[in-house]
Amino acid sequence: MFYFATVTATETTFTLEFPYRRTVGPVVGAFLTGLRDGKILGIKGPGGRVIVPPLEYDPETGDALDELVEVGTAGEVGDWAWVADALPKHPLDRPFAWALIKLDGADTSLLHAVDAGSIDRMSRGMRVKARFAGERKGHITDIACFEPEEG
């Protein structure tokens, strides 16, 4: 991945590029592999707190973290925002919600899309479950979206 800008000054064009690559490392790599396999992983921090998505370092202490744990693929919606007019870059081609979802077994929330069908079906505290993509590649989009749990 790289970013570039093209600048034209007095009949001369310069292209400035910043090429770089980032490896995902053992923690994020395991999280993405888990998604490919239909599982969601978090990481255990000090005091047993489970962080999802997993981080390489504890956000409070800066200590390295390495104890990966599987969490549920369902959870509870916290804050959310409705998107009435989906854009081409959005994960769904119809109205949906962006929501903070605290998965079962996690102590933090994951931001993802919820395909609720209508704004009237969205609420704080509602239960949702992951809908995994048919073809998974080890990317956050392996979770196509979340959807309301029935019952």
Side-chain angles (χ1 to χ4, degrees):
M1 175 188 313
F2 64 90
Y3 294 94
F4 68 92
T6 301
V7 179
T8 302
T10 327
E11 297 185 33
T12 304
T13 300
F14 299 93
T15 300
L16 181 62
E17 296 183 16
F18 298 100
Y20 69 93
R21 288 182 182 258
R22 182 192 189 280
T23 60
V24 293
V27 172
V28 176
F31 173 69
L32 296 175
T33 299
L35 292 179
R36 185 196 66 205
D37 296 340
K39 299 185 291 189
I40 302 176
L41 300 177
I43 197 151
K44 198 173 277 192
R49 186 176 106 147
V50 177
I51 302 167
V52 176
L55 301 173
E56 296 167 331
Y57 299 94
D58 183 82
E60 294 175 9
T61 66
D63 294 338
L65 301 175
D66 62 3
E67 188 181 344
L68 291 159
V69 294
E70 187 173 348
V71 299
T73 57
E76 188 174 294
V77 169
D79 292 328
W80 58 275
W82 189 252
V83 178
D85 298 311
L87 300 174
K89 65 182 177 181
H90 284 147
L92 298 170
D93 62 358
R94 56 193 167 277
F96 70 96
W98 286 115
L100 289 171
I101 302 162
K102 187 175 175 186
L103 296 169
D104 298 337
D107 294 298
T108 63
S109 297
L110 170 74
L111 177 67
H112 215 296
V114 176
D115 186 6
S118 74
I119 192 171
D120 298 331
R121 292 191 64 202
M122 284 300 301
S123 66
R124 195 176 222 300
M126 73 183 283
R127 298 276 308 166
V128 294
K129 63 181 179 179
R131 181 192 311 152
F132 285 92
E135 182 182 329
R136 299 190 290 258
K137 308 175 224 176
H139 191 270
I140 191 63
T141 56
D142 289 351
I143 300 174
C145 63
F146 283 80
E147 58 192 9
E149 272 189 339
E150 299 303 324

